[in-house]
Amino acid sequence: MSDGGSAADQPAAPDEEGAAGNHIIRIASVAALGGLLFGFDSAVINGAVAAIQDEFDVDDAVLGFAVASALLGAAAGAMTAGRIADRIGRIKVMKIAAALFFLSAVVTAFAPSVWILVIGRVIGGLGVGVASVIAPAYIAETAPARIRGRLGSLQQLAIVLGIFLALLVDYVLAEIAGGAGQTLWLGLDAWRWMFLSMMVPAVVYGVLASTIPESPRYLVATHRIPEARTVLTLLFGERNLELTIGRIEDSLEGDVKPSWKDLRRPAGGIYPVVWVGLLLSVFQQAVGINVIFYYSNVLWEAVGFEESQSFQISVFTSVVNIATTIVAIMLIDRIGRRPLLLIGSIGMTITLATMAVCFGTAGQVPNDEGVLEPQLTGASGPIALVAANLFVVFFGMSWGPVVWVLLGEMFPNRIRGAALSLAAAGQWAANWAITVSFPSLKTFSLGFGYGMYAAFALLSLLFVFRFVPETKGMSLEDMDAATGVGRPNSPV
């Protein structure tokens, strides 16, 4: 997927700039709604985890697989989204994602067994994977460089809003029913209604996706120049219109559909920027952020909080995540991507290490099944709670939004589709590994688990310091020279 927003880097008349700016913000906001469904689908299972384990009488290993199964679908969806979007367009892919979310809601809500629930989660995961690729790519293609970081961060803001809504819905439904495993309406347990609730944002996303224009780059690539001219005028005004279309055509010269071959240098090996993008994705998940949002209810119940209190803590944590993401949106185009990542890595390392100490030194008490679980007493409980929320603060202001922005903008035009698909698939694979392993880690040692996440946070600091470039203010065409990726058959 290549650039379609070069005109945004040229000054426009004040009236044109104001009107275009409103259109750009609205369009980016609708595209980012895929992130809201992404977050909702990912977190809605949080409130249902314990009820699912009781309903289907499964052990920790099967439970971990059921929770993480959506991530397998997400990896597959991410791997294919770039190619599909280049063939049928960005907007149609958004509608496909909405349909997958809707179908997932129905299948998981009425699942008669844990394995049917897994199938439903995989279907939703496909939608998540597609949305995780198409939203940042579409926003990058339609956003001016001067505000591309802020608009790209809308993806993460939508994700955390989706997480918040999912946890809030879980909390409300569990409160009404008297517990996630209790019958609510129409003979269905509350946890099944949690999954059904995803139908609402899925319909909203599908409908609103019909109201935004196709990517100018896709329109030019498919030789629909009059339509591309109309969209560019809507986005950036009439100034430098033909120059912009010419630049898009130049960037497509010798272009091919996304292919894994694009990622290899003529001299052999993978372009370094591809490895950087892939490792950014892996580190974003390896610090364990989704343990907080997938398992926080189980986690806090395990250390002495009641179910209702655990729901409240999870909702509060998601609000913290939203607030810090807004901070990142305000800062990302001012101080840059690298400084935010470095600050975030330092903060995550400290807070995760604190949690590792708290849980690692906690006393062990038997639960109702006789299994030993950590019990935080005295100051260790409040310290762990504060550290967990500060971890979310540091992640939310840095690695959460910044990685999505970088993935949308750091790859050169010619390899953007393939590289972004690979990076997003790597992210979901890492997310799956962290998520599926947590129930067993919880049983073995929470202190060890959080210590491992702290080690990954420290490694992420060293990685950013050494390898991650600053892309603030650069146009997408500039990425070719900045990363050393030339056109096909070039000696670069």
Side-chain angles (χ1 to χ4, degrees):
M1 300 178 194
S2 303
D3 182 25
S6 303
D9 301 330
Q10 306 293 331
D15 290 342
E16 285 184 353
E17 190 172 85
N22 292 334
H23 285 305
I24 292 168
I25 292 171
R26 184 184 70 82
I27 288 167
S29 298
V30 172
L33 279 178
L36 186 141
L37 273 162
F38 165 170
F40 197 104
D41 181 84
S42 299
V44 73
I45 199 170
N46 188 320
V49 169
I52 288 171
Q53 188 166 28
D54 291 340
E55 173 80 12
F56 300 119
D57 191 24
V58 295
D59 59 24
D60 285 343
V62 174
L63 178 66
F65 182 79
V67 173
S69 56
L71 306 175
L72 298 176
M79 290 283 280
T80 57
R83 293 185 182 186
I84 295 173
D86 274 355
R87 290 175 181 172
I88 67 174
R90 283 59 166 149
I91 303 304
K92 288 182 180 178
V93 170
M94 292 181 193
K95 293 177 182 177
I96 289 173
L100 289 169
F101 285 123
F102 187 92
L103 180 60
S104 171
V106 175
V107 174
T108 51
F110 294 102
S113 70
V114 70
W115 300 114
I116 299 298
L117 185 138
V118 166
I119 291 173
R121 292 286 291 164
V122 171
I123 293 171
L126 287 169
V128 167
V130 169
S132 71
V133 171
I134 201 64
Y138 178 88
I139 292 171
E141 290 178 357
T142 56
R146 67 183 182 278
I147 60 170
R148 193 174 59 235
R150 277 171 278 173
L151 294 180
S153 297
L154 290 177
Q155 163 84 344
Q156 179 66 14
L157 180 60
I159 292 170
V160 298
L161 281 171
I163 292 171
F164 165 73
L165 288 175
L167 295 176
L168 182 62
V169 167
D170 285 359
Y171 170 66
V172 171
L173 293 177
E175 282 292 298
I176 294 173
Q182 301 300 310
T183 302
L184 185 53
W185 302 304
L186 303 178
L188 295 177
D189 290 348
W191 70 266
R192 294 184 182 274
W193 281 102
M194 293 174 187
F195 288 119
L196 271 178
S197 66
M198 191 169 62
M199 291 191 300
V200 176
V203 171
V204 172
Y205 178 44
V207 171
L208 289 181
S210 303
T211 69
I212 60 176
E214 185 53 83
S215 160
R217 186 272 179 185
Y218 173 76
L219 294 173
V220 173
T222 52
H223 310 294
R224 294 154 61 181
I225 303 301
E227 292 178 61
R229 188 176 287 112
T230 300
V231 174
L232 287 168
T233 302
L234 175 71
L235 294 174
F236 308 125
E238 297 182 0
R239 190 182 181 98
N240 301 315
L241 184 59
E242 297 307 319
L243 173 63
T244 301
I245 292 176
R247 291 194 70 189
I248 296 173
E249 290 175 326
D250 289 343
S251 74
L252 293 170
E253 192 175 314
D255 202 359
V256 294
K257 291 180 180 179
S259 167
W260 304 125
K261 294 179 181 178
D262 296 341
L263 306 183
R264 295 182 60 85
R265 295 181 298 184
I270 303 298
Y271 287 110
V273 69
V274 176
W275 287 114
V276 171
L278 180 60
L279 287 172
L280 274 171
S281 289
V282 170
F283 277 121
Q284 189 199 51
Q285 299 303 319
V287 296
I289 184 63
N290 282 314
V291 165
I292 299 293
F293 293 112
Y294 294 168
Y295 293 109
S296 57
N297 280 22
V298 175
L299 173 65
W300 296 120
E301 286 180 50
V303 295
F305 290 94
E306 299 295 330
E307 181 185 60
S308 178
Q309 293 174 312
S310 298
F311 270 111
Q312 292 169 7
I313 293 171
S314 297
V315 172
F316 174 77
T317 300
S318 68
V319 172
V320 170
N321 203 10
I322 293 170
T324 53
T325 301
I326 293 172
V327 171
I329 291 173
M330 295 170 62
L331 295 177
I332 192 167
D333 285 319
R334 296 183 181 180
I335 69 174
R337 284 64 160 154
R338 270 175 54 89
L340 285 177
L341 289 177
L342 292 170
I343 292 170
S345 292
I346 293 171
M348 291 190 301
T349 301
I350 294 171
T351 52
L352 287 168
T354 300
M355 293 176 71
V357 171
C358 288
F359 286 110
T361 58
Q364 302 287 316
V365 297
N367 62 15
D368 294 339
E369 288 76 33
V371 178
L372 291 178
E373 292 184 339
Q375 187 74 31
L376 298 181
T377 58
S380 61
I383 290 174
L385 187 58
V386 170
N389 281 284
L390 284 178
F391 165 59
V392 172
V393 167
F394 283 110
F395 180 88
M397 65 172 287
S398 59
W399 281 80
V402 174
V403 168
W404 289 115
V405 171
L406 283 170
L407 293 181
E409 70 185 7
M410 70 186 291
F411 301 120
N413 291 341
R414 185 168 64 82
I415 68 169
R416 182 168 297 116
L420 182 50
S421 289
L422 178 63
Q427 182 172 133
W428 294 116
N431 193 340
W432 178 84
I434 294 295
T435 304
V436 79
S437 64
F438 181 74
S440 298
L441 276 177
K442 178 173 73 72
T443 301
F444 173 68
S445 171
L446 276 174
F448 175 81
Y450 281 110
M452 182 178 70
Y453 304 147
F456 281 126
L458 179 60
L459 288 174
S460 76
L461 172 67
L462 303 176
F463 171 71
V464 173
F465 187 80
R466 176 65 179 84
F467 296 108
V468 177
E470 180 58 70
T471 55
K472 182 182 72 170
M474 296 176 64
S475 74
L476 297 189
E477 291 90 350
D478 293 338
M479 300 301 174
D480 291 62
T483 59
V485 178
R487 296 198 180 284
N489 304 319
S490 73
V492 177

